[in-house]
Amino acid sequence: MADNKENLQEEQQEEIKNEAAAQEQSEETATAENTEEAQAEEVDPVAAEISSLKAQVDTLNDKYLRLSAEYDNYRKRTIKEKADMLKSAGSDVLAGLLPVLDDFERALAHMTDASDVESLRTGVELIHKKFIDFLGKKGVAEIPAKGEPFDAEVHEAITMMPAPSEDMKGKCFDCVEKGYKMGDKVIRFAKVVVCE
């Protein structure tokens, strides 16, 4: 019986050891599973962020390519519009000059058989006025020169002469060729004789 008791105690101790070992093993397994889950949770946010950033890069790259294509189209369109504008701007001015040319041709046709010089003169003066009015409508204005103080911004001195009076020093005595401005831009300098 003592052997039975000892065997029973040994079996109980063995069972307790086995239960403890099984409990340790289940705890280790649970810890390992928790660690794997924690690593999976750590990997999942990183992977999710990487895929989110890749999607964002793809979107931005697509926007960039579209914007680049739009800009290139805009640039080509404006170059074409400028070329068309330059072509049509010249035709507009020339179309405005054609009536003046017609008037000159009529005057030339009447010059050969005209006996009244005064009426011919009046006709040419009307054509001149019409031409000056046309230039004024296009923004072209004459630069005042004779009697004005010399200004190198708008006048070109072709010669100098002694001043006939003290108040004429540094002023334009005569205008050899008229100058013209279009707005604020000088398109032809006035050629003047300056008093010194």
Side-chain angles (χ1 to χ4, degrees), residues 7-177:
N7 281 339
L8 189 61
Q9 280 182 346
E10 283 179 15
E11 285 178 11
Q12 284 178 348
Q13 284 178 354
E14 194 66 35
E15 281 179 24
I16 291 173
K17 283 182 185 178
N18 287 339
E19 283 179 13
Q23 190 173 3
E24 272 183 38
Q25 190 175 10
S26 68
E27 284 178 5
E28 285 177 9
T29 306
T31 305
E33 287 176 0
N34 287 341
T35 305
E36 286 176 10
E37 285 177 10
Q39 286 176 349
E41 286 176 5
E42 286 177 16
V43 170
D44 284 342
V46 170
E49 184 154 351
I50 288 172
S51 65
S52 168
L53 290 174
K54 281 182 180 178
Q56 196 175 19
V57 166
D58 290 342
T59 303
L60 291 174
N61 195 19
D62 184 54
K63 283 182 181 179
Y64 168 74
L65 290 174
R66 289 178 188 273
L67 183 64
S68 177
E70 284 178 28
Y71 175 73
D72 194 40
N73 291 338
Y74 166 76
R75 188 179 55 79
K76 288 176 184 176
R77 187 175 58 246
T78 54
I79 288 171
K80 185 177 184 268
E81 286 173 358
K82 280 183 184 179
D84 292 344
M85 192 183 321
L86 288 174
K87 287 178 187 176
S88 66
S91 66
D92 179 42
V93 172
L94 292 176
L97 287 174
L98 291 177
V100 176
L101 179 64
D102 293 338
D103 290 345
F104 271 120
E105 287 176 351
R106 279 189 220 104
L108 287 172
H110 285 79
M111 273 187 190
T112 56
D113 60 341
S115 59
D116 187 10
V117 177
E118 192 57 38
S119 65
L120 193 59
R121 178 186 177 102
T122 305
V124 172
E125 285 174 352
L126 287 172
I127 296 170
H128 180 261
K129 183 181 179 330
K130 187 175 187 178
F131 185 67
I132 295 297
D133 290 344
F134 170 76
L135 290 177
K137 287 178 186 175
K138 296 298 176 188
V140 178
E142 185 181 327
I143 297 171
K146 196 171 184 179
E148 296 289 320
F150 177 75
D151 181 5
E153 297 287 324
V154 292
H155 299 132
E156 181 182 337
I158 56 170
T159 187
M160 299 191 77
M161 64 173 274
S165 63
E166 197 62 33
D167 63 326
M168 283 298 289
K169 281 189 174 180
K171 292 188 177 181
C172 300
F173 179 74
D174 191 19
C175 182
V176 177
E177 187 176 84

